[in-house]
Amino acid sequence: MGALMDLMLVKRYDAITVQEITDRADVGRSTFYAHFTDKDALLADGARQMIGALAAGDAAHVSLPLLRHIGERSELYVVMSRGRGLPLFLDALHRELTADYAGRLAARASGPSAVPVPLLAAMVSSMLLTALRTWLEAGATEPPETVDRAFRTAADAAIRAGLAPA
């Protein structure tokens, strides 16, 4: 993943080859293909690992650690936006966030809710990604804590309404 990120800083995602990734990572192509079907799978795995690590560090919310992490690397996300790398990454991130939120929300649900937990989890994940994308497109000038506070205000209201008894 580090090799792919390094390459994305100097080259469009679409133009990066598996050979370049394996050369940069100093691993063989067979080793790469033993773990990933293609570079898109590597990118998706990076999103999975990132959310897993960030979620493990904060039992209540993953939003602020995610905003801080991406804010520290905003130049990479700007570069990724020039090709199909960012949409692929954001789709993978949405899947991982939805799974994380589904687990957190299911633990809070006390029975049938107004919005089914899987749908509510997807909606909250979409809210976070919209906040993230808007923040990055604006140059990430606001502190991550400000964006997180706005996200949590909206998300907490949606979660309370969504988890209300059906």
Side-chain angles (χ1 to χ4, degrees), residues 75-151:
E75 74 285 348
L76 177 62
Y77 295 94
V78 169
V79 170
M80 285 174 64
S81 69
R82 295 185 196 134
R84 66 184 187 93
L86 187 58
L88 288 170
F89 181 76
L90 291 175
D91 285 348
L93 198 55
H94 187 263
R95 285 189 300 276
E96 296 304 321
L97 284 168
T98 298
D100 181 71
Y101 278 117
R104 293 169 190 262
L105 294 172
R108 290 177 56 185
S110 59
S113 57
V115 178
V117 168
L119 177 58
L120 184 58
M123 292 166 66
V124 171
S125 298
S126 294
M127 290 172 67
L128 178 53
L129 290 178
T130 297
L132 173 65
R133 178 175 252 156
T134 302
W135 179 57
L136 288 172
E137 288 171 356
T141 55
E142 292 289 328
E145 294 79 8
T146 301
V147 178
D148 182 61
R149 198 169 27 261
F151 162 72

Side-chain angles (χ1 to χ4, degrees), residues 1-22:
M1 188 63 199
L4 178 58
M5 289 172 46
D6 289 347
L7 288 166
M8 284 190 294
L9 288 171
V10 296
K11 199 171 184 182
R12 286 177 58 107
Y13 177 82
D14 300 340
I16 297 170
T17 66
V18 169
Q19 187 63 54
E20 290 171 315
I21 296 168
T22 58

